[in-house]
Amino acid sequence: MARSLPLAVRISLPVLIMAAGLFVTVAAGLWMQSVNMVRERKILLEEHVTAATSLATLYQTRVTNGTLSTEAAQAEMQAVMRAQSFGEGNYVFVLDQSGRMLVNRGAPQVEGKDFSLSPDAHGFLFVQEMMNVARTQGGGFVRYMWPHAGQDKPVPKLTYVHAFAPWGWVIGTGVYMDDLDAMMWRQGLTLAGVALLILLVAGAVAFVATRGVTRPLDGMKRAMVLLSRGDLDVSLNGEERGDELGEMARALAVFRDNARANRRLEEEARATAERQVVERREARQALADSFEAEIGEILTGLSVAAEQLDRTAQAMTETARVSLEQARDVRDALAQTTGNVQSVASAAEEMSASVGEISGQVHRSTDVVG
């Protein structure tokens, strides 16, 4: 399938793949950075809650040793946590097992209020979830939507809670995550801008490189089409280049020059063949004219001979007629002579018979005498 794509698209594919890889890399980097920052914030929350729990454990130790009552220890512990904060206004809060707020440095006016049925902006009973996580898992993270102090718009907040069983407390702290989202958004835009700038530069370089390849190739393709149609006067560009396209242009020029030489040879051969045809035609015409002249002379001689032969035949006919008349006379003379000869023969036969008769008589007379 890739072979069916235009060359410009195939040349641009690496840039497109690089762009896709760049954006994937940016997205993966932002995601990994977000995960790392969330993990760091989780570690921070756990450290502060662990420190508060360790402090409560120290107070409980003093209660166990009898140096301090439970009520006094809890009061001192609450006073310490109300005085501490970290980050930008972050603090540690304390809930009892019923969901009543015991310590809240950020909003002291809500201390003593029951939050067990308080939902967030999406109706999520986040305090109940905190109590369940602390009771079932000993501690854990809870996400919910809650506005900043003095604001009405809810934003994402991440809270870590841990159960302190001796006093039935749930100690927790949380941080808002909207600053993280805003920071990730800014970084995403910055990285996307950098990636877009890189892509634009790479795209411009790819465009120039593609144009530098496809335009000479288009010119050579048009030249090949014209050459295939027999147009050997086509001009070629790029023969002076020192790259592969220059080699292709020079090879195409050699092909064109060879085609011109072949055409010239064909034209010369065609002209020679036509000249030979004309010469052969002229030779045949000359031979025909000579033959016709000779035949004419022969026919003239034959005509004269025929006239002489005709006169000779007429003379011979006359001679034959005379000879025929003479032959008739000879025939008549012969017929008469034949009649005469027959008469002589008859007489001779009669004479012979008479001589025979006489001879017989002589013999008989001899016999008688003898």
Side-chain angles (χ1 to χ4, degrees):
M1 179 179 179
R3 294 183 178 179
S4 62
L5 295 176
L7 182 60
V9 175
R10 283 189 279 174
I11 294 177
S12 302
L13 277 178
V15 178
L16 297 177
I17 294 173
M18 183 188 71
L22 187 60
F23 280 108
V24 170
T25 301
V26 169
L30 289 174
W31 178 79
M32 293 179 64
Q33 185 177 4
S34 175
V35 170
N36 291 333
M37 294 180 70
V38 171
R39 182 171 62 250
E40 290 175 357
R41 292 199 173 186
K42 286 183 176 181
I43 293 173
L44 178 65
L45 295 178
E46 287 186 86
E47 288 177 350
H48 283 285
V49 172
T50 300
T53 303
S54 298
L55 183 59
T57 301
L58 291 177
Y59 278 105
Q60 177 61 27
T61 301
R62 293 176 62 185
V63 171
T64 303
N65 294 335
T67 60
L68 194 65
S69 66
T70 301
E71 291 76 8
Q74 291 178 351
E76 289 185 16
M77 178 66 185
Q78 291 176 4
V80 171
M81 286 190 291
R82 288 189 184 98
Q84 292 182 349
S85 65
F86 62 94
E88 298 180 0
N90 297 314
Y91 52 89
V92 176
F93 64 87
V94 179
L95 296 168
D96 63 10
Q97 292 181 345
S98 64
R100 185 169 57 90
M101 184 66 67
L102 300 179
V103 178
N104 190 319
R105 184 179 186 279
Q109 68 275 10
V110 302
E111 291 183 357
K113 182 179 178 181
D114 186 1
F115 282 88
S116 61
L117 298 178
S118 297
D120 68 354
H122 295 161
F124 176 56
L125 300 178
F126 62 96
V127 175
Q128 284 192 10
E129 181 65 18
M130 292 179 188
M131 306 301 292
N132 291 333
V133 169
R135 182 174 60 255
T136 59
Q137 303 177 17
F141 292 94
V142 177
R143 291 176 179 269
Y144 57 97
M145 302 293 292
W146 199 255
H148 284 279
Q151 299 181 8
D152 298 328
K153 182 181 178 180
V155 294
K157 189 171 185 179
L158 176 66
T159 296
Y160 178 75
V161 294
H162 191 276
F164 186 67
W167 294 349
W169 284 7
V170 174
I171 302 173
T173 186
V175 291
Y176 290 98
M177 304 296 289
D178 56 334
D179 62 329
L180 179 61
D181 295 337
M183 183 177 61
M184 296 301 299
W185 179 252
R186 289 193 302 270
Q187 290 184 355
L189 290 178
T190 302
L191 292 176
V194 173
L196 182 60
L197 180 61
I198 295 174
L199 178 61
L200 290 176
V201 173
V205 173
F207 177 77
V208 173
T210 302
R211 293 285 291 175
V213 173
T214 56
R215 290 187 66 181
L217 286 179
D218 289 338
M220 283 188 280
K221 181 182 71 174
R222 288 192 295 270
M224 289 179 183
V225 172
L226 293 176
L227 287 175
S228 66
R229 295 175 180 173
D231 185 3
L232 301 183
D233 296 328
V234 61
S235 60
L236 299 175
N237 297 323
E239 295 182 57
E240 71 283 355
R241 296 172 65 113
D243 53 8
E244 291 81 359
L245 294 175
E247 294 179 359
M248 293 176 62
R250 289 188 288 273
L252 188 59
V254 172
F255 175 80
R256 179 198 60 190
D257 295 340
N258 290 337
R260 288 176 177 175
N262 291 333
R263 174 174 289 184
R264 185 170 58 254
L265 292 176
E266 290 177 357
E267 291 176 351
E268 293 176 356
R270 189 183 307 109
T272 302
E274 291 177 354
R275 186 172 61 254
Q276 291 176 351
V277 169
V278 172
E279 291 176 353
R280 285 195 297 269
R281 185 185 302 114
E282 293 176 351
R284 287 196 299 269
Q285 185 65 37
L287 181 61
D289 293 341
S290 175
F291 181 75
E292 183 178 0
E294 292 178 359
I295 292 299
E297 293 177 359
I298 293 173
L299 290 177
T300 301
L302 288 176
S303 177
V304 173
E307 291 179 357
Q308 293 177 355
L309 183 61
D310 182 61
R311 288 194 296 271
T312 302
Q314 291 179 358
M316 291 179 65
T317 301
E318 183 63 23
T319 302
R321 185 181 62 77
V322 173
S323 298
L324 181 60
E325 290 179 354
Q326 292 176 355
R328 287 176 181 172
D329 293 340
V330 172
R331 184 190 63 187
D332 293 340
L334 288 175
Q336 186 177 359
T337 301
T338 301
N340 293 331
V341 171
Q342 288 179 353
S343 297
V344 171
S346 297
E349 287 180 359
E350 289 179 358
M351 185 178 292
S352 178
S354 296
V355 172
E357 181 65 27
I358 292 174
S359 179
Q361 289 178 3
V362 171
H363 283 296
R364 283 191 304 268
S365 293
T366 300
D367 291 332
V368 171
V369 173

